[in-house]
Structures are given as structure tokens and as C-alpha cells.
Amino acid sequence: MKKGFVQLLIGFSFIAFCKNTHATTYYFSSTAGNDSYTSLEARNPQTPWKSIDKLNSFFKNLNSGDSVLFKRGDVFNGSIVVTKSGAVFAPICFGAYGNGAQPQITTLKPVTGWTMVKSGIYEAPCAVGSTMLLMNGKQQAMGRYPNKGYLTFQNHDGNTSITDNQLPATSNWSSGEVVIRKNRWIIDRNKIVSQTGSTINYEPGNTTYAPTNKYGYFIQDNLKTLDVLGEWYFDKQRNKMMVFFGNRNPDKFTVTTNSADYLVDIQKFQYLTFNDIAFTGAGKNAFNIIQSRSIVIKNCKIDLTGADAVFANYSPLLTVSNCVINHSLSGGINMDAGCVNSIVRENEILNTGLLPGMGKSNSGTYEGITSFGDNTKIEQNRIDSVGYNGIYFGGNASTVKNNHITYFCLTKDDGAGIYIGDWSKTVNKKVISNIILHGVGNSDGTPYTQSLQAEGIYIDDNSESVTINNNTVSQCANNGIKVHNAKNVSIANNTVFDNGVQLRMEQDHYIATSSLIRNNSVKNNTFFSKSDMQPVAKFSTHLDDIKAFGQIDSNFYNKNHPNSIKAATVKNGKHVNSSYSLSSWKASSGKDHSSVEARNGNILFEYNASGKARTVILKQPYVDVHQNVYVDKVVIGSYSSVLLIASAEPVVKHGNAYTAISKQKIESFKWRD
């Protein structure tokens, strides 16, 4: 079957799905359309309408079940402003027709007519409120001082000023933004009001976080910062875009900027479906969904977004599926607590929040997926290269399952691949069968340059009723699984390997409302360190109550070194730090009575982040922690992993069983593929 026919068939199937008996399809083509056609003519793909403006002006005339189709290969400039709802079994549908690439809706427009205003700096007319600039299709950071890293402030006054004793009083940063790393997990943008000596005074804005002394800051959104190719500043008073080209010819570059904040703006409407369309170049959010219901976004590409690719506020029954989301400066998919019963499934979310100071302020930013709605399902997504948390979620009865998350906490840290942090009580949250790799961490702008705080799975303050089951966590700079002031957490059947620490349980009661670590269960997990520098487990408390943390038992540890388990307590007002082997830990803590140490040896770690079983061919016999022998191959189930240790003894096959023979004894093992 030819590709063109398949695409046409898919288009007709989409129309059939959306249509009811009285539904109508309207066609749009930016290359062959004409907005002067009548609405009757626009129902024919041979006489389509041309522009997004025409769609917006006609929108109120659409009826439930109607379809709006954009011609494949065409580019449409503008922002869709929704002014009509569909119905529960007859949504208004937006899709594609014809052959070729997905139709593209964009707000990007070229910036031309450059004039040099000072050495290396050029300006051009730009009559829009630009929040993003692209050079040859690549997002550029605003001009900043210094060009890399952070300056350091020594003092602050509430959330209104910082003082840097090294900042010259004559520097005069009396406009623009100060970007402050206020702690490990907050990078805020605050408008500068004035500079008094070495003190920068700023507006608090919408964030309540105060700075932390000896942390970092830089200046942006100021003409004086432009000195590196591609750095830019938008002069709002003169409507001029100013860019540093140095000794390059500006006309040799394709420079574009956004002409609107949103690509699709939906406020208080419902039952709308967007399928098989590319959305590019929103100044803020590609999809801005406010107090709306039953919005479906599927099979779309969302690229080059100034804030969030999908932002939803009090919008239940939202579905985002099979989309590719790339280059969002603040967040991939951001759903607040009102987005209940939502589904985020089978999306690729790439390169999110990688430019410090270009994302939004406050917490919950620079993240792949942020979700706080009850009964939300976040499943089978691939998240790669994100500035902070891969997934940050809460909400009663919400599930994060079968996701593949790699390279996170690249811009700020004290975060995780999957982060659960509740500031209001929610229960019955599940983290099931996820693959989490490469938590990197970023200490720039902090006084702790050797500390990288990236966790695999992080159950933070006041969280409770969380199930962590069958996950794989590896190569995270700080901890594989961390429980911080949380209770009623079940951690079972996880494989945690080659992290800074494999299991961390930390109780510090650092705020008055912090929970005590209580009633937790940690069972049947594999906690393996790759080197003697990686503790298998660390427990700490501001009290002497580790025994009250819960049940910790039947886990599998590698035979590492005599001090592989750490505990820090406070006894009689004194801090006590202790180190244990597994046997001495059992005797001291009353924990891990049925836990065992596996043998040492060369370790084979393999994972499968797909929905189908994966077969790995083995070059030598291996044994797993359950003493199963694998000789020729190992089959890894979907969204799972294996951790195997090279067999130290010869292996002989007897029927369907393998026998490992040592000089001292014969051990019979069950045969495994």
C-alpha cells in the first residue's frame, strides 16, 4: 500500500471518528486557500480557506462534531483562539488532510532589516512582545552577565534585594532581570528596580522564596549584557530586537521570534481534539488550557516553546498522547491540581528547561511532566534531558507507570527522575515499573560545588501512601531511592544499582509540619553498589528512632565492604554516626533479618525500556541474586531489568537444570533463559 494512500485513509478515519450525522468538515491551505471563499466552498478541499485569522473569525459557527483540517506540508502563522465547545460524543476536531509532513501552526516570524548600533550589536524592527529568539532554528539565551556560571551574593534582605560585595557600585544594573539561584531547587527571575552601591533591589514577583546567602545570580534582559554571538535583548519601549553578531553579517543568519504567546488558547471550553498537527514557536505555552474539559492532544509535534508545551489549569479529563515535545524552555506538560482524571501516555519529551534563567520562576518548573490532579495516569512516556524533575506528581490515586527517564537535574537539582512531594495530603499514589537513569545534578550557583543532588525516586516531605514497585534506578549522582520525612511508603521489588547511595531514609524535621518516617515497608529490593565509595544504604534522623521507620527486610545487597550501611542518629543530645556490615546492621537495628548478601564478581546490568520482551545473549554463565543461573541468554520483560553476577564456578547442564560445581560443594540452580 502506498504511503500517500495510507495517509489519506488515516485522514478519512479521523474525519469518521469526529463526525456525527450532521457534522461538517472545513479545509484550510496556506498555499492554495482563499479566505474569500464561502463556508460552503470551504467544505471542499479544492476550495479551502487560507488563514488562522479566518478560522478564528468563523470559530463560533462551528458545531459539535465538525472537523477543521489543515493541508499537510503547509505552514500556518497565528494562534488558534477557541470560542466554541464540542459535545461529549461529538468533539470539534482539528487534524490534517492530503500528503506530506504534518501541517505546521506557528507564531514564528522573521526578523530582518538589521542596522548596526554599536560594535557587534545590531537592531531590527520587531513590533511584538518577543519572549524567545531563534537563530538558524536554535533557541538562544538572552544576553547575560557573566556569560557563564553565576556571581555570588553574600547577603540579602527578605525577597527584595541581594548584596554582592564584589559588584562595582558603578556597574549600574538598574534595569532588566536578576536571575537568582535561591536554593538548590529554585531559579527565580526578578525584575531589577535599582542598584544601590553593591546591592541589587528587585521586585518579588510571584515567588515567595527568599535568597540563600552565598548562592549565585546573574543579570539578563539588559542591553549591556550583549557580547556573545546570538545573545539578544528586546527593547520593549522602541519595539526593537537587538542581537550580538560580532563581526558576522546578520543577513547570513535566519533570525525568528514569536509573534504571539500561545498557539492554541482554550479558556472555558470543552470537547476539543487536536490530532496530527505540528505546533512550533509559542512565546509562552503552545497549548494554554484554562478551566476547560475533555481536551485531547494526540499524535502532535510541539517544538520550540517559550514556557510550557502544554499548560493546563483546572481542566479535567485532559489527554496528551503519542506526542513529541521538544525544546520547551520551562516545562513539557504542566497540569495543576484541577486537572483530575487526566492521561499522559506514550509521549516523547526532550530537551526541557536546559537554559537557566529562560524558564519560569518558582517550583514546578524546568520539568518534563508536572501533575497534581487526582486519578491521573502518566504512562509509557520517554523523557530525556530535562533541567529539573523528570516527573513531579501528586494527586490521590495517581499512577506513574512504565516511563523511561534519562538525564535529569541538568539545570538545578535536589530533584529526581520521579519526585513525589505533597504540601497537602493525598493518598494511594503509585510508581510502578519505571526505568530511571542518569540523574546528573547541577551545583552551579551554590557554595557546594562538589555536591550533586540528583535522586532516582524521591518521596519528599509530608508524602504518604505511596507504592514504589518494580522500578529500575541506576547512575544517579546522589541516591537511588530517597525517603525524606515521609510515611506509609511501600518500596518493593526494585532494582537499584550504581547510584551515589542505593537507599536513603532521611528524617530531619526541617519544617514544623514535617512528618516522621513511620510505617514504611522496604522489602525484596536489590540494592547494589558498584564501588566501595557507594554506600548500600544510609539512614539518618534527628532522633534515635530508626527502629520506628518501619519494616526493612528480605532485601538483596552486594557484598561490598564492612562499612556499606551508614546510620546517623541523635542520642542523649549528641550526634552519633555509625557504619555497619549487613550482619552488624541486623544485630544493631533489628532490620533486614532475612536480607542476604550476594557474591562479588563482574556485574552485568541490562534494562528494557520497551513494551516487548528483550533478549540479551550472554558470553558466559551468570547468576542472579535469587541464585538462578543464566547460561546462553537472558530474557528481560518490558520495563524491567536484570542484574547478574558472573558465575565463579563451572556450570554443567543436567536435563533442564544447570548445576554450578565448586571445589567444596555442589549447588543446584533452577534453569533460566
Side-chain angles (χ1 to χ4, degrees):
M1 188 179 292
K2 292 184 178 179
K3 182 178 179 182
F5 179 73
V6 172
Q7 291 173 329
L8 191 61
L9 183 62
I10 293 172
F12 284 131
S13 299
F14 172 73
I15 297 170
F17 171 78
C18 288
K19 288 183 73 172
N20 61 28
T21 307
H22 305 289
T24 302
T25 299
Y26 298 93
Y27 296 88
F28 284 78
S29 170
S30 63
T31 56
N34 190 322
D35 287 344
S36 64
Y37 287 138
T38 66
S39 61
L40 182 62
E41 289 173 313
R43 301 177 190 181
N44 187 329
Q46 301 303 314
T47 52
W49 279 326
K50 183 179 182 68
S51 71
I52 298 295
D53 287 342
K54 183 63 178 182
L55 170 61
N56 289 338
S57 66
F58 185 76
F59 210 114
K60 289 184 178 180
N61 298 304
L62 294 173
N63 295 308
S64 299
D66 283 355
S67 295
V68 174
L69 301 186
F70 301 95
K71 187 178 180 181
R72 291 182 177 275
D74 280 7
V75 177
F76 300 83
N77 197 280
S79 175
I80 297 175
V81 180
V82 173
T83 52
K84 188 74 174 287
S85 294
V88 60
F89 295 116
I92 298 174
C93 298
F94 300 82
Y97 75 98
N99 301 318
Q102 287 181 327
Q104 180 182 150
I105 296 175
T106 182
T107 77
L108 294 176
K109 289 187 176 181
V111 182
T112 58
W114 297 102
T115 302
M116 181 184 287
V117 293
K118 57 167 52 179
S119 180
I121 298 177
Y122 292 74
E123 69 177 21
C126 188
V128 294
S130 301
T131 56
M132 181 173 58
L133 183 124
L134 279 66
M135 183 178 286
N136 294 342
K138 182 180 179 180
Q139 287 165 322
Q140 303 295 308
M142 276 191 273
R144 52 169 288 174
Y145 172 79
N147 290 321
K148 294 181 179 180
Y150 292 76
L151 302 170
T152 301
F153 59 93
Q154 291 73 43
N155 295 290
H156 71 282
D157 182 8
N159 186 28
T160 59
S161 73
I162 56 173
T163 299
D164 174 6
N165 296 329
Q166 306 303 314
L167 182 68
T170 57
S171 55
N172 191 25
W173 296 110
S174 57
S175 65
E177 288 183 335
V178 56
V179 177
I180 309 173
R181 184 157 190 181
K182 294 182 175 176
N183 50 46
R184 299 297 299 232
W185 68 95
I186 295 292
I187 298 176
D188 274 349
R189 301 167 61 172
N190 296 92
K191 185 177 180 180
I192 298 173
V193 176
S194 64
Q195 180 179 334
T196 307
S198 57
T199 296
I200 294 175
N201 305 294
Y202 61 83
E203 295 179 357
N206 65 346
T207 177
T208 60
Y209 287 93
T212 305
N213 292 345
K214 298 183 180 179
Y215 271 66
Y217 74 99
F218 60 85
I219 307 296
Q220 67 180 16
D221 197 22
N222 187 300
L223 177 61
K224 293 192 301 180
T225 63
L226 303 187
D227 59 0
V228 172
L229 179 65
E231 287 189 330
W232 60 278
Y233 163 71
F234 179 61
D235 188 331
K236 303 176 184 63
Q237 303 299 319
R238 300 169 54 241
N239 287 327
K240 297 284 188 179
M241 178 61 71
M242 310 184 80
V243 178
F244 187 86
F245 290 98
N247 59 3
R248 310 288 187 90
N249 182 352
D251 295 331
K252 299 296 184 182
F253 296 87
T254 300
V255 180
T256 53
T257 188
N258 61 285
S259 58
D261 288 339
Y262 312 124
L263 287 163
V264 181
D265 191 14
I266 309 171
Q267 301 198 33
K268 299 183 179 180
F269 294 97
Q270 55 191 350
Y271 302 113
L272 302 161
T273 296
F274 298 83
N275 179 54
D276 201 21
I277 302 171
F279 297 91
T280 305
K284 292 183 179 177
N285 309 319
F287 281 84
N288 190 58
I289 305 170
I290 309 297
Q291 298 180 37
S292 297
R293 182 183 182 91
S294 297
I295 308 301
V296 176
I297 305 165
K298 60 182 181 179
N299 305 312
C300 292
K301 293 179 181 178
I302 307 174
D303 197 10
L304 301 168
T305 305
D308 301 320
V310 178
F311 175 82
N313 176 272
Y314 287 94
S315 297
L317 297 166
L318 171 67
T319 297
V320 184
S321 64
N322 292 103
C323 294
V324 177
I325 295 172
N326 206 350
H327 304 113
S328 302
L329 290 178
S330 193
I333 300 171
N334 187 351
M335 306 181 295
D336 76 359
C339 299
V340 301
N341 300 307
S342 294
I343 296 173
V344 179
R345 181 178 290 149
E346 295 185 89
N347 302 285
E348 276 192 287
I349 302 175
L350 314 171
N351 303 305
T352 306
L354 299 183
L355 293 177
M358 295 298 290
K360 295 189 294 187
S361 295
N362 242 315
S363 60
T365 58
Y366 297 82
E367 296 179 329
I369 299 172
T370 309
S371 172
F372 302 108
D374 294 346
N375 302 303
T376 295
K377 297 183 184 303
I378 302 173
E379 300 175 342
Q380 294 178 264
N381 301 283
R382 186 171 80 89
I383 301 172
D384 182 21
S385 300
V386 59
Y388 188 39
N389 296 314
I391 298 173
Y392 176 11
F393 87 107
N396 295 290
S398 292
T399 301
V400 173
K401 181 179 180 181
N402 292 353
N403 299 282
H404 182 201
I405 304 167
T406 58
Y407 294 100
F408 49 90
C409 290
L410 296 176
T411 307
K412 54 184 181 177
D413 60 9
D414 196 6
I418 298 176
Y419 178 91
I420 306 105
D422 280 343
W423 303 107
S424 61
K425 180 180 177 179
T426 61
V427 299
N428 196 24
K429 299 173 288 292
K430 295 180 181 180
V431 179
I432 309 293
S433 299
N434 300 279
I435 306 291
I436 304 167
L437 308 169
H438 303 294
V440 178
N442 189 323
S443 62
D444 291 350
T446 81
Y448 310 104
T449 56
Q450 303 303 312
S451 169
L452 298 173
Q453 298 186 9
E455 329 292 344
I457 299 173
Y458 192 169
I459 308 101
D460 203 0
D461 242 276
N462 297 316
S463 295
E464 61 179 284
S465 185
V466 184
T467 298
I468 311 292
N469 196 16
N470 283 315
N471 300 280
T472 296
V473 183
S474 184
Q475 299 180 58
C476 296
N478 209 26
N479 303 289
I481 297 178
K482 180 176 180 178
V483 178
H484 180 228
N485 299 333
K487 60 186 179 182
N488 301 318
V489 178
S490 173
I491 301 173
N493 306 306
N494 302 283
T495 297
V496 187
F497 169 65
D498 190 22
N499 305 282
V501 179
Q502 311 321 310
L503 171 67
R504 180 80 164 100
M505 301 186 80
E506 180 183 25
Q507 177 179 285
D508 52 23
H509 212 61
Y510 85 107
I511 56 177
T513 57
S514 292
S515 301
L516 298 177
I517 295 179
R518 294 291 186 268
N519 197 34
N520 299 293
S521 174
V522 183
K523 290 187 174 182
N524 299 312
N525 302 281
T526 299
F527 296 123
F528 259 52
S529 298
K530 190 174 182 179
S531 76
D532 290 352
M533 300 299 293
Q534 300 173 334
V536 173
K538 291 181 73 173
F539 305 89
S540 63
T541 171
H542 64 299
L543 303 171
D544 182 15
D545 61 346
I546 289 177
K547 290 184 179 180
F549 279 11
Q551 296 182 337
I552 305 173
D553 203 4
S554 302
N555 299 296
F556 299 90
Y557 301 95
N558 62 318
K559 191 173 183 179
N560 196 359
H561 56 88
N563 301 317
S564 60
I565 298 176
K566 310 285 187 180
T569 60
V570 176
K571 297 182 180 181
N572 299 319
K574 295 182 179 180
H575 293 274
V576 179
N577 296 308
S578 305
S579 297
Y580 303 92
S581 64
L582 179 57
S583 59
S584 62
W585 166 250
K586 290 180 179 182
S588 173
S589 69
K591 309 294 184 186
D592 279 310
H593 279 305
S594 299
S595 297
V596 298
E597 285 182 329
R599 71 182 76 190
N600 282 327
N602 293 327
I603 294 175
L604 175 68
F605 170 70
E606 296 282 348
Y607 64 90
N608 176 16
S610 74
K612 297 181 179 179
R614 176 191 170 211
T615 300
V616 175
I617 304 301
L618 303 177
K619 296 181 180 179
Q620 66 181 94
Y622 285 88
V623 181
D624 67 16
V625 296
H626 303 283
Q627 297 302 297
N628 300 308
V629 176
Y630 302 80
V631 176
D632 301 317
K633 63 182 179 179
V634 59
V635 178
I636 310 173
S638 63
Y639 292 96
S640 65
S641 62
V642 294
L643 195 150
L644 305 177
I645 306 157
S647 177
E649 297 89 16
V651 175
V652 178
K653 185 175 183 181
H654 297 282
N656 285 336
Y658 284 97
T659 302
I661 303 176
S662 70
K663 294 180 180 179
Q664 306 297 327
K665 59 183 178 178
I666 296 177
E667 298 175 326
S668 294
F669 301 115
K670 186 179 179 182
W671 172 36
R672 297 285 184 182
D673 289 333

